mmCIF file of all heavy atoms in Angstrom:
data_model
loop_
_atom_site.group_PDB
_atom_site.id
_atom_site.type_symbol
_atom_site.label_atom_id
_atom_site.label_comp_id
_atom_site.label_asym_id
_atom_site.label_seq_id
_atom_site.Cartn_x
_atom_site.Cartn_y
_atom_site.Cartn_z
ATOM 1 N N GLY A 79 -1.404 2.003 4.087
ATOM 2 C CA GLY A 79 -2.829 2.281 4.182
ATOM 3 C C GLY A 79 -3.515 2.053 2.859
ATOM 4 O O GLY A 79 -2.896 1.682 1.860
ATOM 5 N N LEU A 80 -4.815 2.299 2.827
ATOM 6 C CA LEU A 80 -5.588 2.038 1.615
ATOM 7 C C LEU A 80 -5.237 2.989 0.474
ATOM 8 O O LEU A 80 -5.248 2.603 -0.690
ATOM 9 C CB LEU A 80 -7.083 2.120 1.921
ATOM 10 C CG LEU A 80 -7.638 0.976 2.754
ATOM 11 C CD1 LEU A 80 -9.112 1.198 3.045
ATOM 12 C CD2 LEU A 80 -7.437 -0.346 2.050
ATOM 13 N N SER A 81 -4.907 4.234 0.787
ATOM 14 C CA SER A 81 -4.535 5.182 -0.254
ATOM 15 C C SER A 81 -3.261 4.730 -0.967
ATOM 16 O O SER A 81 -3.189 4.720 -2.198
ATOM 17 C CB SER A 81 -4.335 6.569 0.346
ATOM 18 O OG SER A 81 -3.875 7.468 -0.635
ATOM 19 N N GLY A 82 -2.262 4.347 -0.191
ATOM 20 C CA GLY A 82 -1.013 3.854 -0.766
ATOM 21 C C GLY A 82 -1.218 2.557 -1.519
ATOM 22 O O GLY A 82 -0.595 2.317 -2.557
ATOM 23 N N GLN A 83 -2.097 1.687 -1.010
ATOM 24 C CA GLN A 83 -2.376 0.437 -1.708
ATOM 25 C C GLN A 83 -3.049 0.698 -3.038
ATOM 26 O O GLN A 83 -2.755 0.030 -4.032
ATOM 27 C CB GLN A 83 -3.235 -0.477 -0.841
ATOM 28 C CG GLN A 83 -2.463 -1.130 0.275
ATOM 29 C CD GLN A 83 -3.304 -2.100 1.083
ATOM 30 O OE1 GLN A 83 -4.455 -2.349 0.771
ATOM 31 N NE2 GLN A 83 -2.706 -2.655 2.117
ATOM 32 N N ALA A 84 -3.957 1.675 -3.090
ATOM 33 C CA ALA A 84 -4.615 2.011 -4.352
ATOM 34 C C ALA A 84 -3.588 2.494 -5.371
ATOM 35 O O ALA A 84 -3.643 2.119 -6.554
ATOM 36 C CB ALA A 84 -5.685 3.081 -4.125
ATOM 37 N N GLN A 85 -2.628 3.297 -4.943
ATOM 38 C CA GLN A 85 -1.594 3.767 -5.858
ATOM 39 C C GLN A 85 -0.641 2.641 -6.243
ATOM 40 O O GLN A 85 -0.144 2.605 -7.371
ATOM 41 C CB GLN A 85 -0.858 4.945 -5.223
ATOM 42 C CG GLN A 85 -1.766 6.146 -5.070
ATOM 43 C CD GLN A 85 -1.065 7.326 -4.437
ATOM 44 O OE1 GLN A 85 0.091 7.584 -4.709
ATOM 45 N NE2 GLN A 85 -1.791 8.035 -3.585
ATOM 46 N N ALA A 86 -0.391 1.702 -5.322
ATOM 47 C CA ALA A 86 0.438 0.545 -5.640
ATOM 48 C C ALA A 86 -0.260 -0.341 -6.668
ATOM 49 O O ALA A 86 0.375 -0.883 -7.579
ATOM 50 C CB ALA A 86 0.752 -0.245 -4.382
ATOM 51 N N ILE A 87 -1.576 -0.486 -6.542
ATOM 52 C CA ILE A 87 -2.347 -1.263 -7.514
ATOM 53 C C ILE A 87 -2.259 -0.605 -8.885
ATOM 54 O O ILE A 87 -2.071 -1.279 -9.904
ATOM 55 C CB ILE A 87 -3.811 -1.410 -7.051
ATOM 56 C CG1 ILE A 87 -3.903 -2.293 -5.808
ATOM 57 C CG2 ILE A 87 -4.679 -1.978 -8.165
ATOM 58 C CD1 ILE A 87 -5.247 -2.263 -5.124
ATOM 59 N N SER A 88 -2.358 0.720 -8.922
ATOM 60 C CA SER A 88 -2.250 1.455 -10.180
ATOM 61 C C SER A 88 -0.892 1.219 -10.837
ATOM 62 O O SER A 88 -0.809 0.955 -12.044
ATOM 63 C CB SER A 88 -2.462 2.943 -9.917
ATOM 64 O OG SER A 88 -2.250 3.689 -11.079
ATOM 65 N N LEU A 89 0.180 1.300 -10.045
ATOM 66 C CA LEU A 89 1.527 1.066 -10.568
ATOM 67 C C LEU A 89 1.676 -0.364 -11.064
ATOM 68 O O LEU A 89 2.258 -0.622 -12.122
ATOM 69 C CB LEU A 89 2.565 1.371 -9.490
ATOM 70 C CG LEU A 89 4.030 1.125 -9.843
ATOM 71 C CD1 LEU A 89 4.454 2.012 -11.006
ATOM 72 C CD2 LEU A 89 4.912 1.367 -8.642
ATOM 73 N N GLY A 90 1.117 -1.322 -10.317
ATOM 74 C CA GLY A 90 1.198 -2.734 -10.715
ATOM 75 C C GLY A 90 0.456 -3.018 -12.004
ATOM 76 O O GLY A 90 0.942 -3.758 -12.863
ATOM 77 N N ILE A 91 -0.728 -2.423 -12.165
ATOM 78 C CA ILE A 91 -1.491 -2.608 -13.403
ATOM 79 C C ILE A 91 -0.720 -2.010 -14.577
ATOM 80 O O ILE A 91 -0.640 -2.619 -15.656
ATOM 81 C CB ILE A 91 -2.894 -1.979 -13.279
ATOM 82 C CG1 ILE A 91 -3.739 -2.761 -12.273
ATOM 83 C CG2 ILE A 91 -3.587 -1.941 -14.633
ATOM 84 C CD1 ILE A 91 -5.065 -2.109 -11.953
ATOM 85 N N ALA A 92 -0.121 -0.836 -14.376
ATOM 86 C CA ALA A 92 0.664 -0.207 -15.446
ATOM 87 C C ALA A 92 1.851 -1.085 -15.831
ATOM 88 O O ALA A 92 2.143 -1.262 -17.018
ATOM 89 C CB ALA A 92 1.133 1.171 -15.006
ATOM 90 N N ARG A 93 2.514 -1.675 -14.851
ATOM 91 C CA ARG A 93 3.657 -2.554 -15.150
ATOM 92 C C ARG A 93 3.211 -3.830 -15.853
ATOM 93 O O ARG A 93 3.915 -4.337 -16.731
ATOM 94 C CB ARG A 93 4.395 -2.897 -13.856
ATOM 95 C CG ARG A 93 5.210 -1.752 -13.320
ATOM 96 C CD ARG A 93 5.978 -2.160 -12.090
ATOM 97 N NE ARG A 93 6.845 -1.076 -11.635
ATOM 98 C CZ ARG A 93 7.581 -1.137 -10.540
ATOM 99 N NH1 ARG A 93 7.545 -2.215 -9.784
ATOM 100 N NH2 ARG A 93 8.334 -0.116 -10.202
ATOM 101 N N ALA A 94 2.058 -4.363 -15.470
ATOM 102 C CA ALA A 94 1.553 -5.558 -16.135
ATOM 103 C C ALA A 94 1.170 -5.243 -17.581
ATOM 104 O O ALA A 94 1.421 -6.051 -18.491
ATOM 105 C CB ALA A 94 0.350 -6.113 -15.376
ATOM 106 N N LEU A 95 0.563 -4.080 -17.815
ATOM 107 C CA LEU A 95 0.228 -3.680 -19.185
ATOM 108 C C LEU A 95 1.486 -3.471 -20.019
ATOM 109 O O LEU A 95 1.487 -3.700 -21.228
ATOM 110 C CB LEU A 95 -0.608 -2.402 -19.169
ATOM 111 C CG LEU A 95 -2.051 -2.559 -18.701
ATOM 112 C CD1 LEU A 95 -2.688 -1.204 -18.464
ATOM 113 C CD2 LEU A 95 -2.851 -3.361 -19.696
ATOM 114 N N LEU A 96 2.559 -3.058 -19.367
ATOM 115 C CA LEU A 96 3.830 -2.892 -20.064
ATOM 116 C C LEU A 96 4.381 -4.248 -20.509
ATOM 117 O O LEU A 96 5.008 -4.347 -21.561
ATOM 118 C CB LEU A 96 4.827 -2.197 -19.145
ATOM 119 C CG LEU A 96 6.012 -1.513 -19.771
ATOM 120 C CD1 LEU A 96 5.530 -0.442 -20.741
ATOM 121 C CD2 LEU A 96 6.880 -0.901 -18.718
ATOM 122 N N LYS A 97 4.127 -5.300 -19.718
ATOM 123 C CA LYS A 97 4.552 -6.645 -20.105
ATOM 124 C C LYS A 97 3.731 -7.178 -21.269
ATOM 125 O O LYS A 97 4.200 -8.012 -22.028
ATOM 126 C CB LYS A 97 4.457 -7.594 -18.919
ATOM 127 C CG LYS A 97 5.516 -7.361 -17.874
ATOM 128 C CD LYS A 97 5.433 -8.398 -16.783
ATOM 129 C CE LYS A 97 6.531 -8.198 -15.769
ATOM 130 N NZ LYS A 97 6.491 -9.232 -14.720
ATOM 131 N N VAL A 98 2.483 -6.692 -21.387
ATOM 132 C CA VAL A 98 1.639 -7.113 -22.508
ATOM 133 C C VAL A 98 2.230 -6.596 -23.811
ATOM 134 O O VAL A 98 2.347 -7.340 -24.788
ATOM 135 C CB VAL A 98 0.188 -6.610 -22.320
ATOM 136 C CG1 VAL A 98 -0.635 -6.850 -23.567
ATOM 137 C CG2 VAL A 98 -0.453 -7.276 -21.120
ATOM 138 N N SER A 99 2.577 -5.316 -23.843
ATOM 139 C CA SER A 99 3.161 -4.729 -25.044
ATOM 140 C C SER A 99 4.061 -3.566 -24.654
ATOM 141 O O SER A 99 3.662 -2.703 -23.870
ATOM 142 C CB SER A 99 2.066 -4.236 -25.991
ATOM 143 O OG SER A 99 2.628 -3.534 -27.068
ATOM 144 N N GLU A 100 5.250 -3.531 -25.220
ATOM 145 C CA GLU A 100 6.194 -2.458 -24.944
ATOM 146 C C GLU A 100 5.715 -1.136 -25.538
ATOM 147 O O GLU A 100 6.166 -0.068 -25.137
ATOM 148 C CB GLU A 100 7.568 -2.836 -25.506
ATOM 149 C CG GLU A 100 8.707 -2.001 -25.000
ATOM 150 C CD GLU A 100 8.967 -2.150 -23.502
ATOM 151 O OE1 GLU A 100 8.710 -3.224 -22.940
ATOM 152 O OE2 GLU A 100 9.419 -1.163 -22.896
ATOM 153 N N ASP A 101 4.766 -1.177 -26.481
ATOM 154 C CA ASP A 101 4.217 0.041 -27.085
ATOM 155 C C ASP A 101 3.403 0.862 -26.090
ATOM 156 O O ASP A 101 3.128 2.031 -26.334
ATOM 157 C CB ASP A 101 3.330 -0.302 -28.291
ATOM 158 C CG ASP A 101 4.119 -0.991 -29.386
ATOM 159 O OD1 ASP A 101 5.350 -0.777 -29.448
ATOM 160 O OD2 ASP A 101 3.507 -1.736 -30.170
ATOM 161 N N HIS A 102 3.005 0.246 -24.993
ATOM 162 C CA HIS A 102 2.212 0.954 -23.984
ATOM 163 C C HIS A 102 3.060 1.900 -23.138
ATOM 164 O O HIS A 102 2.514 2.694 -22.381
ATOM 165 C CB HIS A 102 1.508 -0.039 -23.068
ATOM 166 C CG HIS A 102 0.502 -0.884 -23.776
ATOM 167 N ND1 HIS A 102 0.168 -2.137 -23.329
ATOM 168 C CD2 HIS A 102 -0.227 -0.680 -24.890
ATOM 169 C CE1 HIS A 102 -0.733 -2.664 -24.135
ATOM 170 N NE2 HIS A 102 -0.986 -1.801 -25.095
ATOM 171 N N ARG A 103 4.391 1.815 -23.252
ATOM 172 C CA ARG A 103 5.268 2.607 -22.394
ATOM 173 C C ARG A 103 5.048 4.112 -22.548
ATOM 174 O O ARG A 103 4.960 4.846 -21.564
ATOM 175 C CB ARG A 103 6.735 2.276 -22.667
ATOM 176 C CG ARG A 103 7.685 3.046 -21.776
ATOM 177 C CD ARG A 103 9.127 2.648 -21.988
ATOM 178 N NE ARG A 103 9.394 1.285 -21.593
ATOM 179 C CZ ARG A 103 9.654 0.894 -20.339
ATOM 180 N NH1 ARG A 103 9.655 1.785 -19.369
ATOM 181 N NH2 ARG A 103 9.894 -0.365 -20.062
#
Side-chain angles (χ1 to χ4, degrees):
L80 289 177
S81 175
Q83 285 183 4
Q85 294 180 38
I87 292 168
S88 175
L89 178 62
I91 292 172
R93 286 183 176 176
L95 287 169
L96 200 59
K97 288 184 178 182
V98 171
S99 173
E100 195 65 30
D101 298 335
H102 296 153
R103 181 176 294 277

